[in-house]
């Protein structure tokens, strides 16, 4: 069975911690559309995602998921493990770790959280807290049936290199909407996932 690899890259981890400690504002799916005026006092649903980091012979890597093509919302898209914060979750970190265990089989006691980014607002009405965690022990990857089609990893260096990002557009709800992309091999990483990665990449510079 597929197994994740443990991380042994303290220098890179320290650089990430330093980047996460920098002050800064959150990101949004609307960042590429400053002409859109969002309602003041709008209600957003809280959510959290985990950016799980592992180490491979070629360097630090980030685990991502490909959502099931059968899902009603965002089918087939590339995403971080995560989801909405439930009433039983203590906080965003608790929610992110719970979702990661459900979606990819990652035991929460295998993860050392090293920081979080400011929240990201999505076009679907969520405010998402991204948390970064280092996987300190090997685990058996198990994709959640019906929710996750694939679990894979990408080079962390690739998705934190601003030169790898580009902006694309498509017609949505009758108007052209722009979005971030950071493709890797067969994986088209775009939308909120790419926007949060770009925010991280900007902090890593």
């Amino acid at each position: 069975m597929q197994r994740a690899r443990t991380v042994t890259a303290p220098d890179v981890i320290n650089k990430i911690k330093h980047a996460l400690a920098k002050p800064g504002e959150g990101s949004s799916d609307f960042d590429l559309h400053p002409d859109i005026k969002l309602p003041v006092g709008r209600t957003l649903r809280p959510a959290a995602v985990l950016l799980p980091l592992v180490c491979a012979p070629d360097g630090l890597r980030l685990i991502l998921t490909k959502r099931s093509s059968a899902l009603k919302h965002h089918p087939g898209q590339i995403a971080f493990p995560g989801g909405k914060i439930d009433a039983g979750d203590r906080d965003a970190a608790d929610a992110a770790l719970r979702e990661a265990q459900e979606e990819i089989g990652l035991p929460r006691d295998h993860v050392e959280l090293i920081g979080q980014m400011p929240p990201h607002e999505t076009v679907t009405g969520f405010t998402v807290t991204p948390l970064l965690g280092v996987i300190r022990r090997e685990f058996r990857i198990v994709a959640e049936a019906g929710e996750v089609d694939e679990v894979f990893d990408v080079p962390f260096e690739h998705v934190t290199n601003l030169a790898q990002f580009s902006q694309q557009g498509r017609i949505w709800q009758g108007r052209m909407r722009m979005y971030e992309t950071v493709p890797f091999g067969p994986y088209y990483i775009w939308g909120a996932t790419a926007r949060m990665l770009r925010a991280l990449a900007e902090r890593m510079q």
Side-chain angles (χ1 to χ4, degrees):
M1 295 296 294
Q2 184 183 11
R3 289 186 177 272
R5 296 161 292 245
T6 54
V7 70
T8 56
D11 291 341
V12 181
I13 299 304
N14 286 335
K15 182 179 179 181
I16 296 170
K17 289 180 179 179
H18 178 74
L20 296 177
K22 295 178 181 178
E25 297 181 355
S27 56
S28 168
D29 285 350
F30 301 98
D31 286 342
L32 300 181
H33 292 276
D35 57 310
I36 296 179
K37 304 301 181 184
L38 298 174
V40 177
R42 61 195 178 280
T43 300
L44 298 172
R45 294 167 289 177
V49 295
L50 179 68
L51 281 66
L53 302 172
V54 294
C55 193
D58 59 348
L60 198 65
R61 300 182 76 87
L62 170 69
I63 292 179
L64 293 168
T65 69
K66 183 176 181 182
R67 290 170 57 83
S68 170
S69 57
L71 290 174
K72 180 179 179 180
H73 300 292
H74 311 295
Q77 290 189 12
I78 305 303
F80 305 115
K84 65 180 181 179
I85 299 177
D86 291 340
D89 296 321
R90 293 188 300 273
D91 50 25
D94 193 43
L97 291 171
R98 173 182 56 76
E99 289 280 354
Q101 185 158 9
E102 293 173 0
E103 292 184 11
I104 67 173
L106 173 59
R108 62 175 59 215
D109 62 356
H110 286 31
V111 183
E112 176 192 352
L113 294 177
I114 59 173
Q116 69 182 52
M117 295 169 58
H120 175 87
E121 180 175 343
T122 72
V123 295
T124 51
F126 285 93
T127 178
V128 183
T129 299
L131 297 106
L132 280 80
V134 181
I135 300 175
R136 293 300 189 185
R137 296 165 58 190
E138 290 188 356
F139 74 101
R140 178 185 176 188
I141 294 175
V142 180
E144 184 178 15
E147 298 284 340
V148 177
D149 276 349
E150 184 180 357
V151 181
F152 62 97
D153 55 54
V154 299
F156 184 75
E157 183 179 10
H158 179 90
V159 294
T160 53
N161 180 354
L162 289 174
Q164 301 295 338
F165 287 80
S166 64
Q167 297 175 357
Q168 306 293 330
R170 65 174 57 176
I171 299 296
W172 187 68
Q173 293 185 346
R175 63 170 292 171
M176 178 63 72
R177 294 293 177 91
M178 303 301 294
Y179 54 88
E180 294 285 354
T181 72
V182 58
F184 178 76
Y187 302 108
Y188 187 65
I189 306 169
W190 69 286
T193 301
R195 182 66 191 90
M196 285 184 270
L197 285 172
R198 184 180 180 92
L200 177 58
E202 290 170 348
R203 286 176 170 269
M204 293 291 294
Q205 302 309 302

